[in-house]
Amino acid sequence: MERYLRWLREVLRGPDADRALAAERAIMRSAIASARDDELEREQRRIAKRADTIAIGERTEDAGGPFLAALPELLAHMLVIGASGAGKSYLLLLLAMAAYAAGLPLVVIDPKAEFAELLLDRLLPAFLARLPPSEAQRALASIRVVDPFGRDALPPMNPLVRDPSIPIEVQALDVASCFDATVDAGSGVRMETILDWVLRLVIEVGGSFITVRRALEEPPVLEGLVRQSRVRDVVSYFLNRWPNEPASSKLALLARIDRLLALPSSRLSLGADACVDFDAALSGGITVVNVGNAPAGLTELSAFWSTFVFTRLVRAVYRRPATGAGTRHAITLIDEWQTCLTRPFASSMEDVLARSRSRRCAFWLCNQQKAQVEKVSGSLWDIVAAQTAIHVLFRASIEDARAMRHVLPVSGRMRRPSPPPWAHAPAASPYLTASEEIEARVSRVAQLPRQHAYWWDRRKSHAAVPLRTATLDLPDPRRVPAALRAAVARGAVARPASDLARALDAEMRRLDQLARYGAGAPAAPGAGGTTAPPKARKKHKGPGGLPW
């Protein structure tokens, strides 16, 4: 009789050994999940007692409840990915305002303008309006707005102003790499060589891209500049190799520079006599780089400004103490971060992130798709994913969800769907296995509601946290004085366009004098020299055929 009952039980419910093993697995899975949940709860209770707590959102699974983070734990490299409209910007706005309110230096690079406009139009004016007048004035002095497509005020952004902290050759290479980002098909080897040497010359003797263009167009201007150079290699290049450079490459390079200088605002910013100090940007205050307002058809200018700012920031990071001693943490937040990478930095991104971490600089990187990064480099995504400590996954495609599968948690309590009636035998366990649960979550990522995400900190032992990010309350701009909003939108480094126009006119007069008199040009008015034209010099051919 007992044998018969055992046989009937196995027919109806499966072998006793298999059922016992499945029960043990379920008990162990539940115990492990409970231990993880207990650890998360203990951590949340600990964070709640701190004074620097930030409410990230609400947990959406298990017991629920608020999800909190301590600000020092956020001072690490972060990677945020998700489709447009999924809620990435609002989460980063929340974190950015928390960092700014805590007095941490913050740099924001926005190639789409939406993030920067929300900061400058809504959040920062409302924050400053709550401060006492004296504190508000100090805060205004620490707001730097870099908008090269503005109208009334523009930042001085001449990349050829001599940077004494790096060699001229390195500065010229950085500017050439940024310039190459504006060229869809690449500039070619000959054009790169020509541009590199002309940039070295102009950086040494002074000038801007306006000077570069005039040097390519007018031989007397180039002669006058070369005569001012004190670098033997530069003079040797222009005396011996310059005449043999293809004229077609010079003309093609000139056409690309014309595109860079197509907008009046670009000519004014690039023709300034100074450049925004990015070492100061990493020392305090907030710097908002808004490069998303380029007119249609000139979007390559956004790529130039993004790469130029990122390049200068990385150089400023490298100049910080290697141990970070005595320096405050600084945060650089970049939306669509892959657009900021030049080829040298794309190939050394792992080194950039590692060195910036030791120098107390955190990069918060945000983008929509993995494919955007793969256009820059096939291995770049894996490098950045390995170097970032915090990963946040919003609604994304199945392919991107698979790339971020390490973020997805395994709870061990996700129930298996009911089998169809025609199934031969029930599953061994009512719960999905770890691999099955991951696949189920991957398929659900594409349908995540707005503001829903997975938050994973690789430094913590508990699994990723499914959450709904906190709702950001955007203040009504009409409740903030218009003068304060205008002051925030302008920032402390922008100059009136009329001032930059006068500086550009002075440079053009200097170049006109070089074109007329060569190296014997008189000093510009106000520079301590006479304005009387010298006697005309008889020109002759020098080495290499250059007029000398």
Side-chain angles (χ1 to χ4, degrees):
M1 184 66 178
E2 182 180 353
R3 184 183 303 174
Y4 173 77
L5 292 176
R6 188 187 311 117
W7 173 82
L8 182 61
R9 188 167 58 249
E10 292 181 356
V11 170
L12 296 176
R13 301 176 58 184
D16 290 347
D18 292 347
R19 287 191 296 107
L21 181 59
E24 289 294 331
R25 288 175 176 171
I27 293 173
M28 293 176 63
R29 186 181 293 112
S30 178
I32 294 173
S34 298
R36 289 176 175 173
D37 292 345
D38 291 343
E39 180 183 354
L40 177 59
E41 292 296 338
R42 288 194 299 270
E43 178 191 83
Q44 291 294 295
R45 287 194 295 269
R46 175 182 58 81
I47 294 175
K49 298 176 182 178
R50 298 175 60 107
D52 53 4
T53 296
I54 301 173
I56 303 296
E58 294 285 333
R59 287 174 283 169
T60 57
E61 292 187 8
D62 300 328
F67 180 69
L68 309 174
L71 182 58
E73 295 177 349
L74 300 177
L75 302 179
H77 297 324
M78 182 187 306
L79 177 62
V80 182
I81 183 172
S84 178
K88 306 185 303 297
S89 296
Y90 282 82
L91 171 65
L92 291 173
L93 279 170
L94 173 70
L95 300 179
M97 287 304 300
Y100 176 68
L104 296 175
L106 178 65
V107 179
V108 176
I109 305 177
D110 184 9
K112 298 189 299 184
E114 177 187 5
F115 194 96
E117 290 176 357
L118 287 174
L119 264 179
L120 298 174
D121 296 344
R122 309 285 288 276
L123 294 176
L124 285 177
F127 179 81
L128 266 60
R130 298 190 183 100
L131 299 178
S134 58
E135 293 185 21
Q137 287 300 320
R138 286 196 297 269
L140 272 174
S142 67
I143 296 177
R144 308 170 190 87
V145 179
V146 179
D147 184 358
F149 305 113
R151 294 183 179 181
D152 300 330
L154 292 165
M157 294 287 286
N158 183 356
L160 304 185
V161 172
R162 180 74 181 95
D163 185 352
S165 63
I166 57 176
I168 289 180
E169 296 81 1
V170 175
Q171 185 176 351
L173 175 63
D174 286 347
V175 177
S177 298
C178 298
F179 176 80
D180 192 52
T182 68
V183 183
D184 296 335
S187 56
V189 176
R190 298 315 312 163
M191 279 188 286
E192 289 179 358
T193 301
I194 295 170
L195 179 62
D196 178 55
W197 286 101
V198 176
L199 289 178
R200 293 189 193 187
L201 172 64
V202 175
I203 291 172
E204 180 199 356
V205 304
S208 68
F209 265 103
I210 308 295
T211 308
V212 173
R213 181 172 65 178
R214 292 288 297 272
L216 291 171
E217 286 179 325
E218 305 172 53
V221 173
L222 180 61
E223 176 193 350
L225 296 174
V226 173
R227 282 183 174 273
Q228 298 175 27
S229 175
R230 296 295 179 268
V231 179
R232 183 184 299 272
D233 290 343
V234 172
V235 175
S236 175
Y237 169 81
F238 284 101
L239 289 179
N240 300 301
R241 295 173 55 188
W242 175 263
N244 299 322
E245 298 288 6
S248 58
S249 297
K250 299 175 183 177
L251 292 175
L253 178 59
L254 186 61
R256 285 160 170 78
I257 293 177
D258 286 339
R259 292 195 67 182
L260 179 64
L261 301 174
L263 292 179
S265 60
S266 296
R267 292 195 295 272
L268 292 175
S269 283
L270 290 170
D273 55 0
C275 185
V276 173
D277 185 358
F278 291 98
D279 291 278
L282 293 177
S283 300
I286 181 171
T287 304
V288 182
V289 182
N290 182 5
V291 293
N293 291 324
L298 293 174
T299 54
E300 64 269 19
L301 292 182
S302 294
F304 172 81
W305 289 117
S306 298
T307 53
F308 171 62
V309 171
F310 179 79
T311 300
R312 282 296 178 96
L313 274 173
V314 170
R315 296 299 182 196
V317 169
Y318 286 177
R319 286 192 287 270
R320 289 164 71 95
T323 60
T327 58
R328 286 187 296 173
H329 270 99
I331 299 170
T332 298
L333 191 160
I334 310 178
D335 194 7
E336 300 300 341
W337 56 275
Q338 75 283 347
T339 64
C340 300
L341 298 181
T342 60
R343 286 178 294 179
F345 280 123
S347 61
S348 61
M349 192 63 183
E350 183 176 8
D351 179 66
V352 169
L353 293 176
R355 294 177 66 177
S356 60
R357 183 172 56 247
S358 65
R359 287 161 172 78
R360 299 169 69 90
C361 291
F363 282 92
W364 294 353
L365 308 175
C366 176
N367 72 303
Q368 296 183 23
Q369 296 177 335
K370 178 185 176 184
Q372 296 170 323
V373 181
E374 291 177 336
K375 289 182 180 179
V376 180
S377 169
S379 60
L380 183 57
W381 177 268
D382 294 332
I383 291 173
V384 173
Q387 288 289 323
T388 45
I390 302 174
H391 293 179
V392 187
L393 175 62
F394 285 84
R395 183 179 69 248
S397 67
I398 297 295
E399 291 76 14
D400 291 335
R402 292 190 187 281
M404 300 285 287
R405 61 186 298 133
H406 59 280
V407 173
L408 303 176
V410 177
S411 66
R413 295 193 295 267
M414 184 175 288
R415 298 193 66 86
R416 187 182 302 277
S418 301
W422 55 84
H424 295 290
S429 171
Y431 299 100
L432 295 178
T433 64
S435 59
E436 290 173 338
E437 183 173 349
I438 288 293
E439 289 302 318
R441 290 188 182 275
V442 165
S443 63
R444 294 180 184 179
V445 167
Q447 287 82 37
L448 282 177
R450 177 179 170 80
Q451 293 185 251
H452 284 246
Y454 291 96
W455 179 287
W456 182 57
D457 189 336
R458 68 167 69 244
R459 299 166 297 180
K460 306 293 181 62
S461 58
H462 61 73
V465 180
L467 56 87
R468 184 185 188 278
T469 58
T471 300
L472 185 65
D473 182 19
L474 294 176
D476 187 350
R478 294 172 295 182
R479 297 182 179 180
V480 179
L484 179 59
R485 297 206 314 270
V488 171
R490 183 174 58 253
V493 298
R495 296 182 185 176
S498 57
D499 291 353
L500 294 178
R502 284 193 289 270
L504 184 60
D505 289 341
E507 182 181 4
M508 293 300 291
R509 288 194 297 271
R510 180 176 71 90
L511 296 174
D512 289 339
Q513 291 170 345
L514 280 177
R516 186 175 180 181
Y517 304 112
T530 176
T531 58
K535 295 181 180 180
R537 297 182 296 107
K538 182 177 180 181
K539 298 183 179 181
H540 60 277
K541 297 290 185 179
L546 187 71
W548 205 246

